[in-house]
Amino acid sequence: MRRIMHLDLDVFFVAVERLRQPELNGQPVIVGGRVEHRGVVSTASYEARAFGVHSGMPMAAARRLCPDAAFVDSNFGDYLDYSRKFMKILAGFSPFLEPAGLDEAYLDATGFESLHGSAAAMAAAIRARVKRELGLAVSVGIAAGKLVAKIASDAAKPDGVLEIAPGGEREFLAPLAIERLPGIGRKTAPQLRKLGIATLGQLAGMPAATLKQYFGSAGEVMQRHARGVDQSRVLPPGEAKSVSRETTFHRDVASPDILRATLAYLAEHVARKLRQHHRQAATVAVKLRYADFTTVTRQVSLPQPGNSDRLIGDTALKLLAKERAKSGSPLRLIGVRAARLAESGAQLNLLADAPESEQRLEGALDAIRDRYGGDAILSGRTLAAASRKRKRRPENQT
Ligand code: TTP
Ligand code: MG
């Protein structure tokens, strides 16, 4: 049984500001950009949230709702420093660490019982260290998978721990509103509600086939998640998420023999790479680009993850055959990709050497910092969209 933790600092930016200005403790505090710059709220303390202030709201609106709050300009460089220190503490507890934002990370605690007693004891030790060394409160959710752990850490706030016992995931989720499930947002939630589904318990009780009719395969995934079923791995930064090989032909090719031979050759290379890195793939995909640059990818989940030439090759060839049955037009590019990689064999590098894992951590934090962008103030749920628009801005500190 896996024990996954999600750790998330409480009111992160506000908490850092309070370390510098202790008089802000217990008061409504709002950190964000300046009203004159049409800034938005990046963090509101719980006292300010009680007035309806939330992340992403224009500062002007926050001022109307909570005029007596202390308004503080953000100091992004400081937050980044604390973020790095936080991640370093976590990395000392388990190399299976996946930073998911400046102030949150997943940690796989499975198998660390001998070292720490239990996942709960490990969480307590982490919380004590973060409090002692950084002066910050971190809330922790512990569960069999990432998804439930994240929802549990949210429910554990402020400054708490919530462990969902193995097998208790579905029961824990049942009373919660559907919006609590990551992935059910402004688009899907109203559709579900129209179907009379308001809680995760109701969603969990729907037949998968019905949900599939309305939402396609995402519907089935939603239902599994609502039942607390989630096998996704904690992925330390820098670990390959997929392995692929593709080739562009000198001249467009329609010959089935040449296409098959090329794809089989590429699949062998992918399979060899998987074996070299002790990885097994759970998904195989092929990519076909036609002469007019139309690109098609077809993928399939394997009944059993694997990494043999035969498995990857045969699967890719089947996908190719299916696609070529629809169109025999010449191709300019063909490729194969193995994804949803899992460790194979028992060769886990439990004691990854520190410099390397620290480098990876740095890389991950850089990526997160790029996403948050220097002094940029992020607006609530538009975070993902913003990261797409605002690629790589140089860090500039306020
Ligand atoms: P969160 O962890 O979502 O929020 P929080 O730490 O302020 O509060 P809590 O976890 O106790 O509910 O985000 C972490 C930091 O990321 C937050 O302090 C500020 C920043 N952030 C933004 O700048 N804009 C946003 O829209 C969000 C959600 C967060
Ligand atoms: Mg937080």
Side-chain angles (χ1 to χ4, degrees):
M1 178 50 75
R2 297 195 306 159
R3 288 284 82 189
I4 308 296
M5 275 184 211
H6 181 258
L7 307 106
D8 190 310
L9 295 168
D10 290 355
V11 286
F12 179 38
F13 292 3
V14 166
V16 171
E17 297 302 334
R18 280 175 168 164
L19 291 172
R20 234 199 326 235
Q21 304 181 58
E23 65 276 16
L24 297 177
N25 280 310
Q27 270 206 64
V29 180
I30 296 171
V31 174
R34 294 165 201 241
V35 177
E36 325 63 286
H37 295 154
R38 289 193 293 152
V40 298
V41 174
S42 49
T43 320
S45 72
Y46 297 126
E47 297 83 355
R49 288 180 203 183
F51 289 87
V53 179
H54 59 80
S55 301
M57 168 181 282
M59 274 302 223
R63 265 191 210 280
R64 277 196 297 277
L65 286 171
C66 192
D68 295 332
F71 289 84
V72 182
D73 291 339
S74 49
N75 295 290
F76 201 80
D78 290 359
Y79 311 145
L80 194 61
D81 273 352
Y82 276 95
S83 173
R84 287 183 196 280
K85 287 181 189 147
F86 173 57
M87 297 296 174
K88 285 222 170 100
I89 291 176
L90 301 186
F93 281 84
S94 163
F96 303 109
L97 176 72
E98 177 182 334
L102 281 180
D103 80 329
E104 61 177 301
Y106 295 95
L107 189 154
D108 192 338
T110 316
F112 282 79
E113 288 82 357
S114 57
L115 223 58
H116 298 286
S118 65
M122 189 167 165
I126 293 175
R127 278 165 42 76
R129 258 194 80 180
V130 172
K131 185 67 78 43
R132 192 173 65 236
E133 292 178 22
L134 305 183
L136 298 176
V138 53
S139 294
V140 183
I142 309 170
K146 287 162 75 171
L147 187 93
V148 176
K150 180 164 171 86
I151 296 172
S153 77
D154 215 35
K157 283 175 185 293
D159 200 8
V161 183
L162 180 60
E163 176 164 15
I164 308 304
E169 297 83 11
R170 186 167 172 174
E171 201 186 331
F172 163 63
L173 296 177
L176 304 179
I178 44 174
E179 288 82 1
R180 296 285 287 276
L181 202 69
I184 298 188
R186 249 173 298 192
K187 213 177 118 211
T188 313
Q191 289 175 287
L192 283 168
R193 285 182 177 272
K194 224 187 267 166
L195 297 170
I197 303 170
T199 66
L200 292 177
Q202 290 169 327
L203 182 56
M206 290 295 288
T210 309
L211 291 167
K212 193 173 179 183
Q213 266 178 4
Y214 284 98
F215 302 99
S217 55
E220 296 174 295
V221 174
M222 249 181 325
Q223 187 240 36
R224 272 204 303 278
H225 284 174
R227 294 177 174 197
V229 179
D230 160 37
Q231 304 293 347
S232 62
R233 288 202 314 141
V234 173
L235 262 190
E239 264 197 37
K241 295 195 174 164
S242 68
V243 173
S244 63
R245 284 278 183 285
E246 59 184 44
T247 189
T248 303
F249 298 114
H250 292 300
R251 197 171 293 150
D252 299 347
V253 172
S255 152
D257 287 343
I258 297 180
L259 291 177
R260 289 174 58 85
T262 310
L263 193 63
Y265 169 83
L266 295 170
E268 267 176 37
H269 278 261
V270 166
R272 188 185 315 149
K273 183 105 189 239
L274 289 173
R275 294 193 298 271
Q276 278 168 359
H277 293 267
H278 307 287
R279 291 288 183 282
Q280 298 196 326
T283 301
V284 172
V286 299
K287 173 170 159 188
L288 308 177
R289 180 167 293 148
Y290 289 95
D292 66 356
F293 280 88
T294 314
T295 306
V296 178
T297 51
R298 292 280 172 246
Q299 67 169 42
V300 68
S301 293
L302 301 171
Q304 282 277 319
N307 58 18
S308 68
D309 288 356
R310 182 169 191 144
L311 178 71
I312 308 294
D314 286 357
T315 309
L317 288 173
K318 264 188 223 147
L319 288 168
L320 174 71
K322 233 179 172 172
E323 192 53 36
R324 296 307 279 171
K326 288 184 223 154
S327 164
S329 307
L331 296 178
R332 53 177 294 124
L333 173 149
I334 192 166
V336 58
R337 186 168 65 92
R340 281 172 55 216
L341 306 186
E343 227 109 13
S344 64
Q347 295 302 321
L348 291 186
N349 187 6
L350 273 174
L351 299 172
D353 63 303
E356 193 200 334
S357 53
E358 266 183 28
Q359 256 175 24
R360 285 197 203 152
L361 203 56
E362 289 291 305
L365 286 173
D366 286 344
I368 290 166
R369 192 216 24 228
D370 285 350
R371 173 146 61 97
Y372 280 66
D375 67 337
I377 313 298
L378 309 166
S379 67
R381 307 293 156 211
T382 60
L383 216 94
S387 77
R388 264 177 262 126
K389 263 188 278 162
R390 188 205 302 138
K391 281 265 150 69
R392 296 208 153 255
R393 271 176 61 202
E395 184 189 352
N396 58 56
Q397 304 182 357
T398 38

